[in-house]
Amino acid sequence: MKVVLLLLGIFIASVVKCQVLEGVVSDADGQAVEGATVYVRETAQGCVADENGNFRIALPSGTYVCEVSALGYEKQTLQVRVGEKRDVLRVVLKPMVYMLQEAKVNARGEDPAFYIMRHAIARAPYHRHQVKRYLSEVYTKGTMQLEKIPKLLMLSKEIRKEVTPYLGKVFTLESVMEVAFEAPDTYERKIVAFSSSIPDDLSPDEALGIVTASVYDPDVMGMVSPLAPGAFSYYRFRFAECYLEDGKTINKIRVEPRKKNSQLLDGYIYIVENDWSVVNFDFSAKLTGVTLHIKGVFHDVKPSVFLPTSYDIDVDVKIFGVKAGGKYYASVKYKEVEADTTNGVVVKPVSVVAENKALPEPAKSPKREKAERKLEALLEKEELTTRDAYRMARLSQQLMTPERPDTIPPLEIREEVVTEKVSVDSMAVRRDSAYWLQMRTIPLKQEEVKGYQMRDSLRAVVKKSEGETDTTRRAHRDIFGQILWGSSYKLGKQGRFEFDGLVKAFPEYNFVDGFWIGQRFGVSLAVARGQRLYVEPSVYYATARKSWIWQVYSSYTYAPLKRGLLKVRFGDVSADYKGNAGAWRLENTLTSLVCADNFMKFYGKRYVALENRIDISNGLVLSVGGNYEKRRVLENHISYNIYKKDPKPNTPSSEGGVDMPDNTALHVYGQLDYTPRSFYRLRNGYKRYVRSDWPTFSVRYDRGISVGSGLSSAYNRIAIGVQQKKSLGLFDKISYKVQAGKFFSVKELYFPDYKQFGATGWVFSKEMFFSDFYLTDYYELATAEKWFQGALNYTSSYLLIKRLSFMQRFLFNEAVHVRYVWMPETKSYTECGYSLGFEDEIRGGVFFGFDREGYRGVGVRVVLPLDWK
């Protein structure tokens, strides 16, 4: 087989008849110029020189024009003859001679960078949509080195075995890919060749991909582009220098983030005067423990069509004592490029608008014509304001985007989403050394060659380490882990079965039931497209009460375009008097078991409940339902706790609530929620709401219907409310909730029927700080009359502590919270708080309470949003 591959390699080499142009780029002092870019005009091929200034390009025999450039140096244009003779091309770059900037300072004395960046931002949508399709060949090379591991970790024998083969050694990944792009954002990546010196057997589809994101996109690699609409809010721009290159004026602009944030870039961007396209960028980004240094070089592969031809990325990792470094190169050769000449208006440079103000005249809708008139008016302005630039960018994006067909609803989102298909050539991992010698644009360094030579011996060490674990024992461990932690299994093609595992076989302890011992199961079945049936039975034995606690929850999704959902529940459980406004039951388990603080009180509930939710129209949701309950009073049956304290009686009055007798309840309700202009997506035939700039308005009616001659709830209740969560830019967001309601025509009412307000009974909670109260007795905030409540939360990445510069490198954010409730029983009650945390992962805050008599108290609360049913 090896002989066949060798002959095949010789055959390919003989057919192509390519020579290799090798070279070294240095400065006048003989120092290597790292990151210099070599671009061959005839083949639209770029490559980047390594830290020693070395580069190599495979070219058929002939004469070529090569452009050699580097940041801070003048570009050299050379005519090179490639033949059988392989002399090393030596290129000496001279320091850049910068020009005196022409006066482009307005009456306010602004930095010239403002003028340049406004025009670049205004023109960014045009450059983003400038290319209809291209086919390219990309060589990528990535090297990495694990330099240091904390000594504490190396004390572990298992970690030492895993890490030792890699520590201090340089590993290399190389690939050759064919990348096909089709507008607007579709990439097909075919791995033609793949090689790795890493001991683990990597799959070719793990090859390093080129950066498919464009600097002209508002979001580039998960960070805010300096060319995004709104960039002036996030960046400071300063004019650095300018220089002439091929008759064009290139402006070097300093880009500084206004705040230290992992979503912002820091560095330089190079922009062509009048064309306002990017020719280079040199950015750094800092995440927690990771620093990226990213350089990109663009060339005009077609007249006025600039595309990236090389990338040079450094990665530096320093976190928790781990130190590692990496380097990534990408060299791009464009085989085919087709510019898009049909996508609407071309935003002309301001300097030439006076010569030709006419716009293309395809068939246009009135809306499109109006946008073009607005854009023309902005183009005629001698000087753009920042607001003008943002408006031009939005109008250009609108005109570049094809008009939606009338068959697509106006609120359905069909955004341009980057899709990437990856395939692997059957020969990808079989390419021989002759092939790689021809395809590499950067020669291997000595330590990289040694890495390839050591690969097989290191693989033997790694496999030996892995082989020390008996496969039978490993399989047993896997089965035991599933039993312990739970798992899920497929049921045919359309179903799935799941269970909780032994860890959740004891989910609760309280003084009424004792320990719960049992299990929760789940079965999910796809009935049809967009329709699914889910059944979740659970059964537990209450050790102290010596009775069974069980319930069945089932749901059926139907009418996928209307988000239909039918829920049915029934069972016999111990329920919290506070109902859906209650806290996390695991909190009560911990407080009861540790210190006898049983803040939750329970009653027996044998019930059946039914609910149906469906969209009447877009954004208008109707929910109707009802439940029948037989309620019975329960008492404590056990008092065990670690500190051997006496628990409180199982009556809600001990926590500020109201006691009740045994009773029955038949409760029905209807609720309307309306969110104007709700945008949505269709995925697999199912409708999902995405966003709206409007709040959600709601109205709800509840009624308790008297049943039989015994004690039974009988009342009417109505509530209206509004709530919203809204982003205020990249760093800030706000959420609020307001509700008012009233009971009327009340004949019988029991504590579970009261309007209950969310409260926590302990320092920990799993619900984020949105509208709950934290300093009152658990059952104190409840009313049987009328109420008004409000909640306001403002979250910012830079509120108080994060305004200190040395704190800005950390990822946490800050928030302020205000809650208010009024009801006849307690009159006014207010809580104000401050918190900090990591988005929705973990959060801690301090809260202050005030009632009608003034200051009431202070407390600390911590949110841990764990998934524990």
Side-chain angles (χ1 to χ4, degrees), residues 525-533 556-560 684 686:
L525 296 172
V527 180
R529 181 176 172 83
Q531 300 180 33
R532 180 169 287 273
L533 175 65
Y556 175 59
T557 57
Y558 66 98
N684 298 322
Y686 192 84

Side-chain angles (χ1 to χ4, degrees), residues 705-749:
I705 302 173
S706 181
V707 179
S709 58
L711 298 175
S712 182
S713 299
Y715 64 92
N716 290 272
R717 185 176 77 186
I718 191 168
I720 58 174
V722 59
Q723 62 180 335
Q724 185 179 22
K725 295 182 179 180
K726 186 175 179 63
S727 174
L728 303 177
L730 182 64
F731 306 127
D732 305 277
K733 57 185 177 182
I734 189 171
S735 64
Y736 62 86
K737 176 181 179 180
V738 177
Q739 188 187 67
K742 177 181 174 60
F743 286 87
F744 59 95
S745 301
V746 176
K747 294 181 181 179
E748 289 289 340
L749 196 65

Side-chain angles (χ1 to χ4, degrees), residues 23 59 132 192 205 207 241 243 316 354 384-385 388 483 545 554 568 593 598 662 735 759 780 793 821 826:
L59 295 168
K132 185 175 182 179
V192 178
D205 56 12
E241 295 108 358
Y243 56 91
D316 185 32
L384 295 177
T385 65
D388 291 337
I483 295 173
R545 193 152 56 94
S554 61
V568 179
L593 194 58
N598 52 324
D662 292 352
S735 64
E780 180 181 351
N793 307 278
V821 64
T826 59

Side-chain angles (χ1 to χ4, degrees), residues 345-597:
V345 108
V346 175
V347 184
K348 294 184 172 53
V350 173
S351 60
V352 299
V353 168
E355 300 174 12
N356 182 15
K357 300 176 184 176
L359 298 169
E361 294 293 339
K364 310 179 187 74
S365 66
K367 184 178 180 180
R368 196 175 186 87
E369 288 181 347
K370 183 178 179 181
E372 289 186 1
R373 287 196 299 270
K374 289 181 179 180
L375 185 57
E376 277 194 272
L378 290 169
L379 286 168
E380 290 177 351
K381 299 185 73 169
E382 290 293 330
E383 186 174 310
L384 295 177
T385 65
T386 301
R387 183 180 179 185
D388 291 337
Y390 293 167
R391 289 179 63 199
M392 284 182 65
R394 286 194 295 270
L395 289 169
S396 298
Q397 176 63 32
Q398 179 182 337
L399 293 171
M400 294 291 172
T401 304
E403 291 193 277
R404 298 167 64 94
D406 294 336
T407 55
I408 300 178
L411 295 176
E412 181 183 345
I413 296 177
R414 294 189 180 180
E415 294 178 328
E416 297 177 358
V417 179
V418 174
T419 58
E420 186 172 14
K421 300 177 182 178
V422 180
S423 61
V424 180
D425 191 289
S426 59
M427 290 289 296
V429 296
R430 302 177 184 178
R431 305 293 184 182
D432 61 10
S433 57
Y435 174 88
W436 284 109
L437 189 62
Q438 213 169 47
M439 299 307 297
R440 285 190 185 108
T441 61
I442 295 175
L444 292 178
K445 292 179 290 189
Q446 186 176 1
E447 57 266 32
E448 293 168 352
V449 174
K450 287 182 179 179
Y452 274 119
Q453 293 172 346
M454 295 174 60
R455 173 179 54 191
D456 294 336
S457 59
L458 283 171
R459 278 179 178 167
V461 172
V462 172
K463 287 181 179 179
K464 181 181 178 182
S465 175
E466 292 175 346
E468 291 175 358
T469 302
D470 183 79
T471 55
T472 304
R473 288 166 52 195
R474 183 183 300 171
H476 288 166
R477 280 206 308 268
D478 292 342
I479 295 173
F480 178 74
Q482 293 174 4
I483 295 173
L484 184 65
W485 298 102
S487 187
S488 64
Y489 304 93
K490 285 185 177 180
L491 297 176
K493 294 183 179 180
Q494 303 295 330
R496 183 165 289 276
F497 170 79
E498 64 184 20
F499 66 96
D500 279 346
L502 292 178
V503 169
K504 292 186 180 180
F506 307 90
E508 185 166 348
Y509 172 79
N510 61 67
F511 297 130
V512 173
D513 301 320
F515 287 98
W516 288 21
I517 303 176
Q519 192 62 221
R520 181 193 68 89
F521 305 91
V523 177
S524 177
L525 296 172
V527 180
R529 181 176 172 83
Q531 300 180 33
R532 180 169 287 273
L533 175 65
Y534 179 73
V535 181
E536 181 187 283
S538 60
V539 58
Y540 300 93
Y541 181 72
T543 58
R545 193 152 56 94
K546 294 181 172 58
S547 61
W548 292 95
I549 294 171
W550 64 274
Q551 65 179 346
V552 176
Y553 165 77
S554 61
S555 66
Y556 175 59
T557 57
Y558 66 98
L561 294 180
K562 290 185 174 293
R563 302 189 319 127
L565 177 62
L566 176 65
K567 298 179 182 178
V568 179
R569 296 184 179 91
F570 55 92
D572 190 348
V573 299
S574 56
D576 180 5
Y577 281 91
K578 210 166 183 62
N580 293 332
W584 192 15
R585 290 181 68 144
L586 182 61
E587 298 175 50
N588 186 73
T589 295
L590 296 175
T591 58
S592 299
L593 194 58
V594 174
C595 53
D597 184 8

